[in-house]
Amino acid sequence: MSKKPDTHPFDTVLVANRGEIAVRIIQGLREMGIGTVAVYSEPDRTALHALVADEAVFIGPAPASESYLVMQKLIDAAKQAGAGAIHPGYGFLSENAGFCRAVEAAGLVFIGPTAASMEVMGDKLASRRKMMQSGVPVVPGTEDAVRDPAVAITCAEKIGYPVLLKASAGGGGKGMRIVRSAADMASALRQTMGEAGQSFGNDAIFVEKYIENPKHIEVQVLGDGKGGAIHLFERECSVQRRHQKVIEESPSPSLTPELRARICEAAVQTARAVDYRGAGTVEFILAPGGAFYFLEMNTRLQVEHPITELVTGIDLVHAQVRIARGEGIGIRQEDLSQRGWALEFRVCAEDPSRNFAPSIGRIEAMSPPLGPGVRLDTGVYEGFEVPIHYDPLLAKLIVWGEDRPRAIARAQRALRDFTLQGPTHNLPFHLWALDQPAFRDGTYTTHFVEKCFDHTAWLPALTDLDREALIAAAALLENERRAPAGAGAGADAHGDNWRRAARRAMTGHK
Ligand code: ADP
Ligand code: ADP
Ligand code: MG
């Protein structure tokens, strides 16, 4: 069989990740007839991604720095299992140019962009500069790193307070600090530099205008690596806590067709500027007046990619694989449109009443919602012990509806149908959010949670399941009270579960 010179065929892929995203990638690969290899750390021996893959390779102890982040272990595992390519997922090594280079140097295909475009986009200062050259609007601010508070103050006075100090190497919502006056600049700069050096090994900080009441709008793109790129429209991700997304929707309720066309075009321009290869996301901040600015480009599959899949009908993992094989994008811009409305809810092991502090424990009961228009991307299952070592994201509930009101109604139904017991989680928070006027009318901004959500007064509304648990617990206790001592021992294990469930239902805690 003759191969086209530019193709990179592979028939087995190692997924260098864990949790829901590893499972989702494995599903996509399997649909393409590609063999799948998972990697797992000590506490992930029985994790879903390790169980569902064709093969799973042990890569070391719990800390990611000794397992999921050790490049050589991942490359060795791929070689050992006969994989021809590595898919990095998101987080971990997915945006690490050194990993991309090491994978390619080992003769494997990296399912993602080139190391060079990752380097430009992985550095917020470098990508800002690149965008300024390419004519994509960036948030007003400094072009270079700032170490001297006097320079930062001069810049802040030019663009006007408040400003945001941002770590050039930051990510995951970390490494940012708002400064509202010159008096606070010196200490804020010192602290942000210290934290950035600690967390990202790079203390370069820049100043940009802090946009009040903005919306976070991002655009999914696919590039062929040769300057060709298309967009798959936008996602709005303004429901955030600690600068991290919790609910996303597509389309955005805030864009007119005209604004949508301009922002999507800016995203395509961004991808072209770096000859982008594969799937990526260009993030923008949308100011109340309708001006939008480039924030950053995420050079990987994004957590919230499923909402784009539901409204465009395109499978992004399949597209990533096609591009990595050198087969091109395989989709024409003019064939794409947005159909209906999709919402994603990040289901996290965290406690809304304790300011979303992470929670852990065994998944005692889990029965996900089913039915029309519902998708669940999960990394956990009933009986799984959620490890403390990783991200608290357990699963993502994604719904599709013909329009926004119907998607919201479906989301409410699905969230209520979702049984999840064990670690404290944020399903009740999602139901709360859907009830808020600002969410309902689509005017919510990135300040939505901090403005509308009072975690100190938070008492989750009882879900239908909690209510059932309470009723069942009450019935069991009543039976036990009536039964003679020693009888009904068989019901005990069951009764304990219900009692635990009832206690949780009443307190919102374990
Ligand atoms: P997305 O951008 O895909 O919507 P997030 O911004 O929440 O999602 O990031 C995806 C995952 O990657 C999260 O688990 C986040 O903690 C992690 N992450 C992203 N960037 C970094 C970084 N620079 N350092 C550490 N973790 C990161
Ligand atoms: P990360 O790499 O951590 O994802 P981003 O630059 O994408 O960093 O910013 C994350 C979030 O922080 C944005 O979605 C937005 O809510 C907020 N943010 C970032 N820059 C600004 C800004 N200039 N003004 C207001 N909010 C901002
Ligand atoms: Mg971001």
Side-chain angles (χ1 to χ4, degrees):
M1 215 172 73
S2 74
K3 289 170 193 158
K4 275 189 267 163
D6 224 18
T7 60
H8 316 279
F10 47 80
D11 53 20
T12 302
V13 172
L14 178 131
V15 181
N17 216 295
R18 66 176 306 281
E20 65 84 20
I21 196 61
V23 174
R24 189 267 171 269
I25 293 163
I26 290 167
Q27 291 166 340
L29 294 168
R30 186 160 288 152
E31 288 162 4
M32 299 182 88
I34 297 171
T36 56
V37 183
V39 290
Y40 63 94
S41 66
E42 186 63 47
D44 274 345
R45 268 180 198 287
T46 55
L48 192 57
H49 72 281
L51 300 178
V52 298
D54 297 335
E55 199 178 325
V57 182
F58 177 68
I59 50 161
S65 58
E66 294 170 47
S67 50
Y68 296 105
L69 289 173
V70 185
M71 301 185 196
Q72 201 53 48
K73 284 187 178 179
L74 299 163
I75 291 168
D76 290 347
K79 293 265 180 190
Q80 177 197 323
I86 293 187
H87 193 308
Y90 58 67
F92 293 127
L93 293 171
S94 61
E95 294 180 277
N96 187 311
F99 184 53
C100 172
R101 286 213 174 85
V103 168
E104 290 178 347
L108 304 167
V109 173
F110 181 79
I111 304 182
T114 60
S117 49
M118 246 188 247
E119 260 156 10
V120 176
M121 291 306 182
D123 185 281
K124 291 190 203 285
L125 267 169
S127 62
R128 269 169 73 78
R129 260 184 240 123
K130 186 89 191 167
M131 291 308 108
M132 289 177 200
Q133 288 159 13
S134 315
V136 175
V138 302
V139 186
T142 56
E143 216 171 306
D144 297 300
V146 174
R147 309 189 69 87
D148 178 358
V151 174
I153 289 169
T154 309
C155 169
E157 276 164 3
K158 210 165 81 200
I159 59 180
Y161 286 99
V163 297
L164 198 57
L165 298 181
K166 240 187 204 183
S168 189
K174 298 184 186 89
M176 283 182 247
R177 187 171 265 101
I178 303 168
V179 182
R180 297 193 179 273
S181 73
D184 300 333
M185 188 63 87
S187 70
L189 185 60
R190 199 177 339 103
Q191 284 177 44
T192 315
M193 280 175 69
E195 285 163 15
Q198 278 275 313
S199 313
F200 313 114
N202 173 353
D203 69 357
I205 302 294
F206 63 99
V207 182
E208 71 179 30
K209 172 94 187 137
Y210 179 69
I211 314 278
E212 310 244 29
N213 295 306
K215 283 172 163 280
H216 174 113
I217 309 283
E218 59 183 35
V219 179
Q220 177 71 53
V221 295
L222 289 173
D224 63 8
K226 298 168 193 154
I230 61 168
H231 70 80
L232 287 85
F233 304 99
E234 81 282 6
R235 298 183 284 256
E236 171 152 2
C237 315
S238 305
V239 182
Q240 304 182 347
R241 41 133 186 66
R242 282 187 244 105
H243 303 301
Q244 288 173 342
K245 307 155 187 170
V246 261
I247 301 176
E248 301 97 350
E249 62 179 313
S250 183
S252 161
S254 322
L255 298 189
T256 59
E258 187 268 333
L259 188 51
R260 172 171 299 117
R262 282 200 290 130
I263 209 164
C264 290
E265 185 44 42
V268 169
Q269 207 179 324
T270 302
R272 289 208 176 111
V274 291
D275 286 343
Y276 194 76
R277 179 184 78 194
T281 294
V282 186
E283 298 190 331
F284 296 94
I285 195 146
L286 175 65
F292 63 87
Y293 308 99
F294 170 84
L295 270 185
E296 64 163 346
M297 180 170 191
N298 292 323
T299 54
R300 54 173 163 88
L301 191 63
Q302 196 99 340
V303 175
E304 57 277 19
H305 76 279
I307 53 177
T308 296
E309 298 188 317
L310 293 189
V311 295
T312 61
I314 299 296
D315 187 300
L316 287 166
V317 171
H318 293 180
Q320 286 187 298
V321 168
R322 280 197 305 269
I323 295 168
R325 280 177 163 172
E327 297 166 9
I329 299 173
I331 303 160
R332 290 183 311 178
Q333 186 71 65
E334 57 270 33
D335 293 337
L336 290 172
S337 62
Q338 293 171 300
R339 190 174 155 267
W341 213 279
L343 294 161
E344 176 182 274
F345 302 86
R346 299 193 189 194
V347 183
C348 300
E350 63 182 25
D351 187 349
S353 73
R354 291 192 298 134
N355 204 14
F356 305 96
S359 150
I360 49 162
R362 208 175 94 99
I363 307 284
E364 303 281 359
M366 176 165 167
S367 165
L370 297 169
V374 176
R375 163 173 169 178
L376 189 82
D377 284 16
T378 178
V380 301
Y381 56 89
E382 193 167 296
F384 181 64
E385 184 82 36
V386 180
I388 49 167
H389 314 279
Y390 313 110
D391 201 89
L393 184 67
L394 302 175
K396 298 174 321 205
L397 175 66
I398 310 112
V399 303
W400 181 89
E402 289 150 70
D403 53 26
R404 193 168 187 266
R406 279 181 260 212
I408 290 176
R410 183 164 275 163
Q412 289 176 310
R413 187 271 294 172
L415 286 162
R416 289 198 188 100
D417 282 354
F418 201 154
T419 303
L420 186 61
Q421 291 171 350
T424 306
H425 56 71
N426 61 349
L427 285 174
F429 168 83
H430 289 313
L431 278 166
W432 168 87
L434 290 180
D435 268 342
Q436 302 311 302
F439 188 86
R440 285 283 167 160
D441 64 19
T443 59
Y444 67 96
T445 70
T446 61
H447 304 312
F448 172 67
V449 176
E450 107 214 18
K451 249 194 220 156
C452 302
F453 184 71
D454 179 3
H455 67 89
T456 58
W458 172 243
L459 197 68
L462 292 189
T463 64
D464 291 350
L465 181 99
D466 293 332
R467 239 175 256 119
E468 273 171 43
L470 278 176
I471 294 164
L476 262 157
L477 291 175
E478 181 61 17
N479 274 343
E480 277 167 24
R481 199 178 57 78
R482 281 197 201 146
D492 269 9
H494 190 60
D496 271 355
N497 279 341
W498 282 121
R499 241 173 274 133
R500 272 204 299 272
R503 194 164 54 234
R504 269 195 304 276
M506 285 180 286
T507 60
H509 293 264
K510 279 187 86 159

PDB file of all heavy atoms in Angstrom, residues 461-479:
ATOM      1  N   ALA A 461     -31.115  23.680  47.757  1.00  0.00           N
ATOM      2  CA  ALA A 461     -32.491  23.211  47.652  1.00  0.00           C
ATOM      3  C   ALA A 461     -32.445  21.691  47.561  1.00  0.00           C
ATOM      4  O   ALA A 461     -31.523  21.131  46.991  1.00  0.00           O
ATOM      5  CB  ALA A 461     -33.110  23.784  46.391  1.00  0.00           C
ATOM      6  N   LEU A 462     -33.408  21.045  48.160  1.00  0.00           N
ATOM      7  CA  LEU A 462     -33.442  19.584  48.085  1.00  0.00           C
ATOM      8  C   LEU A 462     -33.753  19.170  46.658  1.00  0.00           C
ATOM      9  O   LEU A 462     -34.669  19.686  46.036  1.00  0.00           O
ATOM     10  CB  LEU A 462     -34.523  19.036  49.011  1.00  0.00           C
ATOM     11  CG  LEU A 462     -34.269  19.204  50.505  1.00  0.00           C
ATOM     12  CD1 LEU A 462     -35.311  18.423  51.287  1.00  0.00           C
ATOM     13  CD2 LEU A 462     -32.886  18.720  50.884  1.00  0.00           C
ATOM     14  N   THR A 463     -32.954  18.248  46.141  1.00  0.00           N
ATOM     15  CA  THR A 463     -33.290  17.709  44.822  1.00  0.00           C
ATOM     16  C   THR A 463     -34.358  16.640  45.046  1.00  0.00           C
ATOM     17  O   THR A 463     -34.617  16.222  46.180  1.00  0.00           O
ATOM     18  CB  THR A 463     -32.074  17.047  44.162  1.00  0.00           C
ATOM     19  OG1 THR A 463     -31.706  15.939  44.961  1.00  0.00           O
ATOM     20  CG2 THR A 463     -30.926  18.020  44.037  1.00  0.00           C
ATOM     21  N   ASP A 464     -34.955  16.194  43.960  1.00  0.00           N
ATOM     22  CA  ASP A 464     -35.971  15.144  44.082  1.00  0.00           C
ATOM     23  C   ASP A 464     -35.392  13.918  44.767  1.00  0.00           C
ATOM     24  O   ASP A 464     -36.023  13.274  45.580  1.00  0.00           O
ATOM     25  CB  ASP A 464     -36.507  14.769  42.701  1.00  0.00           C
ATOM     26  CG  ASP A 464     -37.322  15.916  42.127  1.00  0.00           C
ATOM     27  OD1 ASP A 464     -37.604  16.866  42.891  1.00  0.00           O
ATOM     28  OD2 ASP A 464     -37.659  15.862  40.934  1.00  0.00           O
ATOM     29  N   LEU A 465     -34.123  13.624  44.419  1.00  0.00           N
ATOM     30  CA  LEU A 465     -33.536  12.424  44.990  1.00  0.00           C
ATOM     31  C   LEU A 465     -33.320  12.581  46.491  1.00  0.00           C
ATOM     32  O   LEU A 465     -33.561  11.671  47.278  1.00  0.00           O
ATOM     33  CB  LEU A 465     -32.211  12.109  44.342  1.00  0.00           C
ATOM     34  CG  LEU A 465     -31.720  10.834  44.998  1.00  0.00           C
ATOM     35  CD1 LEU A 465     -32.008   9.651  44.140  1.00  0.00           C
ATOM     36  CD2 LEU A 465     -30.324  10.950  45.444  1.00  0.00           C
ATOM     37  N   ASP A 466     -32.851  13.740  46.896  1.00  0.00           N
ATOM     38  CA  ASP A 466     -32.658  13.970  48.323  1.00  0.00           C
ATOM     39  C   ASP A 466     -33.988  13.783  49.052  1.00  0.00           C
ATOM     40  O   ASP A 466     -34.044  13.207  50.135  1.00  0.00           O
ATOM     41  CB  ASP A 466     -32.151  15.391  48.578  1.00  0.00           C
ATOM     42  CG  ASP A 466     -30.752  15.610  48.044  1.00  0.00           C
ATOM     43  OD1 ASP A 466     -29.982  14.640  47.971  1.00  0.00           O
ATOM     44  OD2 ASP A 466     -30.446  16.759  47.712  1.00  0.00           O
ATOM     45  N   ARG A 467     -35.019  14.293  48.427  1.00  0.00           N
ATOM     46  CA  ARG A 467     -36.345  14.175  49.025  1.00  0.00           C
ATOM     47  C   ARG A 467     -36.724  12.708  49.168  1.00  0.00           C
ATOM     48  O   ARG A 467     -37.167  12.275  50.215  1.00  0.00           O
ATOM     49  CB  ARG A 467     -37.373  14.910  48.151  1.00  0.00           C
ATOM     50  CG  ARG A 467     -38.084  16.013  48.891  1.00  0.00           C
ATOM     51  CD  ARG A 467     -38.998  16.790  47.971  1.00  0.00           C
ATOM     52  NE  ARG A 467     -38.397  18.067  47.635  1.00  0.00           N
ATOM     53  CZ  ARG A 467     -38.073  18.452  46.415  1.00  0.00           C
ATOM     54  NH1 ARG A 467     -38.301  17.672  45.378  1.00  0.00           N
ATOM     55  NH2 ARG A 467     -37.534  19.631  46.219  1.00  0.00           N
ATOM     56  N   GLU A 468     -36.464  11.932  48.112  1.00  0.00           N
ATOM     57  CA  GLU A 468     -36.744  10.497  48.163  1.00  0.00           C
ATOM     58  C   GLU A 468     -35.933   9.845  49.266  1.00  0.00           C
ATOM     59  O   GLU A 468     -36.415   8.991  49.994  1.00  0.00           O
ATOM     60  CB  GLU A 468     -36.345   9.819  46.853  1.00  0.00           C
ATOM     61  CG  GLU A 468     -37.409   9.838  45.792  1.00  0.00           C
ATOM     62  CD  GLU A 468     -36.831   9.348  44.464  1.00  0.00           C
ATOM     63  OE1 GLU A 468     -36.079   8.353  44.480  1.00  0.00           O
ATOM     64  OE2 GLU A 468     -37.112   9.992  43.440  1.00  0.00           O
ATOM     65  N   ALA A 469     -34.662  10.253  49.367  1.00  0.00           N
ATOM     66  CA  ALA A 469     -33.785   9.671  50.388  1.00  0.00           C
ATOM     67  C   ALA A 469     -34.325   9.961  51.772  1.00  0.00           C
ATOM     68  O   ALA A 469     -34.332   9.092  52.647  1.00  0.00           O
ATOM     69  CB  ALA A 469     -32.373  10.230  50.234  1.00  0.00           C
ATOM     70  N   LEU A 470     -34.788  11.182  51.956  1.00  0.00           N
ATOM     71  CA  LEU A 470     -35.330  11.554  53.262  1.00  0.00           C
ATOM     72  C   LEU A 470     -36.554  10.713  53.601  1.00  0.00           C
ATOM     73  O   LEU A 470     -36.698  10.214  54.724  1.00  0.00           O
ATOM     74  CB  LEU A 470     -35.715  13.035  53.269  1.00  0.00           C
ATOM     75  CG  LEU A 470     -34.577  14.008  53.522  1.00  0.00           C
ATOM     76  CD1 LEU A 470     -35.083  15.436  53.393  1.00  0.00           C
ATOM     77  CD2 LEU A 470     -33.983  13.795  54.919  1.00  0.00           C
ATOM     78  N   ILE A 471     -37.434  10.547  52.613  1.00  0.00           N
ATOM     79  CA  ILE A 471     -38.652   9.771  52.849  1.00  0.00           C
ATOM     80  C   ILE A 471     -38.298   8.320  53.154  1.00  0.00           C
ATOM     81  O   ILE A 471     -38.787   7.717  54.105  1.00  0.00           O
ATOM     82  CB  ILE A 471     -39.603   9.877  51.624  1.00  0.00           C
ATOM     83  CG1 ILE A 471     -40.094  11.323  51.496  1.00  0.00           C
ATOM     84  CG2 ILE A 471     -40.771   8.896  51.747  1.00  0.00           C
ATOM     85  CD1 ILE A 471     -40.704  11.655  50.140  1.00  0.00           C
ATOM     86  N   ALA A 472     -37.356   7.761  52.348  1.00  0.00           N
ATOM     87  CA  ALA A 472     -36.971   6.368  52.558  1.00  0.00           C
ATOM     88  C   ALA A 472     -36.299   6.196  53.915  1.00  0.00           C
ATOM     89  O   ALA A 472     -36.535   5.221  54.627  1.00  0.00           O
ATOM     90  CB  ALA A 472     -36.031   5.929  51.442  1.00  0.00           C
ATOM     91  N   ALA A 473     -35.460   7.164  54.275  1.00  0.00           N
ATOM     92  CA  ALA A 473     -34.765   7.082  55.559  1.00  0.00           C
ATOM     93  C   ALA A 473     -35.778   7.128  56.696  1.00  0.00           C
ATOM     94  O   ALA A 473     -35.699   6.346  57.663  1.00  0.00           O
ATOM     95  CB  ALA A 473     -33.777   8.237  55.689  1.00  0.00           C
ATOM     96  N   ALA A 474     -36.755   8.000  56.562  1.00  0.00           N
ATOM     97  CA  ALA A 474     -37.770   8.117  57.602  1.00  0.00           C
ATOM     98  C   ALA A 474     -38.556   6.814  57.728  1.00  0.00           C
ATOM     99  O   ALA A 474     -38.813   6.320  58.842  1.00  0.00           O
ATOM    100  CB  ALA A 474     -38.719   9.277  57.270  1.00  0.00           C
ATOM    101  N   ALA A 475     -38.878   6.186  56.571  1.00  0.00           N
ATOM    102  CA  ALA A 475     -39.641   4.946  56.588  1.00  0.00           C
ATOM    103  C   ALA A 475     -38.839   3.838  57.258  1.00  0.00           C
ATOM    104  O   ALA A 475     -39.350   3.074  58.080  1.00  0.00           O
ATOM    105  CB  ALA A 475     -40.015   4.554  55.155  1.00  0.00           C
ATOM    106  N   LEU A 476     -37.540   3.767  56.920  1.00  0.00           N
ATOM    107  CA  LEU A 476     -36.698   2.727  57.501  1.00  0.00           C
ATOM    108  C   LEU A 476     -36.579   2.893  59.008  1.00  0.00           C
ATOM    109  O   LEU A 476     -36.676   1.933  59.786  1.00  0.00           O
ATOM    110  CB  LEU A 476     -35.304   2.792  56.881  1.00  0.00           C
ATOM    111  CG  LEU A 476     -35.085   1.799  55.760  1.00  0.00           C
ATOM    112  CD1 LEU A 476     -33.968   2.250  54.851  1.00  0.00           C
ATOM    113  CD2 LEU A 476     -34.767   0.420  56.340  1.00  0.00           C
ATOM    114  N   LEU A 477     -36.354   4.117  59.431  1.00  0.00           N
ATOM    115  CA  LEU A 477     -36.216   4.374  60.864  1.00  0.00           C
ATOM    116  C   LEU A 477     -37.502   4.003  61.589  1.00  0.00           C
ATOM    117  O   LEU A 477     -37.475   3.417  62.673  1.00  0.00           O
ATOM    118  CB  LEU A 477     -35.863   5.850  61.100  1.00  0.00           C
ATOM    119  CG  LEU A 477     -34.459   6.242  60.625  1.00  0.00           C
ATOM    120  CD1 LEU A 477     -34.231   7.742  60.791  1.00  0.00           C
ATOM    121  CD2 LEU A 477     -33.381   5.467  61.381  1.00  0.00           C
ATOM    122  N   GLU A 478     -38.604   4.312  60.958  1.00  0.00           N
ATOM    123  CA  GLU A 478     -39.898   4.002  61.544  1.00  0.00           C
ATOM    124  C   GLU A 478     -40.040   2.485  61.688  1.00  0.00           C
ATOM    125  O   GLU A 478     -40.461   1.979  62.731  1.00  0.00           O
ATOM    126  CB  GLU A 478     -41.006   4.597  60.658  1.00  0.00           C
ATOM    127  CG  GLU A 478     -42.421   4.379  61.155  1.00  0.00           C
ATOM    128  CD  GLU A 478     -42.680   5.014  62.526  1.00  0.00           C
ATOM    129  OE1 GLU A 478     -41.886   5.884  62.935  1.00  0.00           O
ATOM    130  OE2 GLU A 478     -43.651   4.589  63.188  1.00  0.00           O
ATOM    131  N   ASN A 479     -39.649   1.739  60.616  1.00  0.00           N
ATOM    132  CA  ASN A 479     -39.705   0.271  60.667  1.00  0.00           C
ATOM    133  C   ASN A 479     -38.851  -0.276  61.788  1.00  0.00           C
ATOM    134  O   ASN A 479     -39.232  -1.180  62.515  1.00  0.00           O
ATOM    135  CB  ASN A 479     -39.182  -0.318  59.344  1.00  0.00           C
ATOM    136  CG  ASN A 479     -40.298  -0.392  58.334  1.00  0.00           C
ATOM    137  OD1 ASN A 479     -41.472  -0.314  58.697  1.00  0.00           O
ATOM    138  ND2 ASN A 479     -39.924  -0.531  57.072  1.00  0.00           N
TER     139      ASN A 479
END
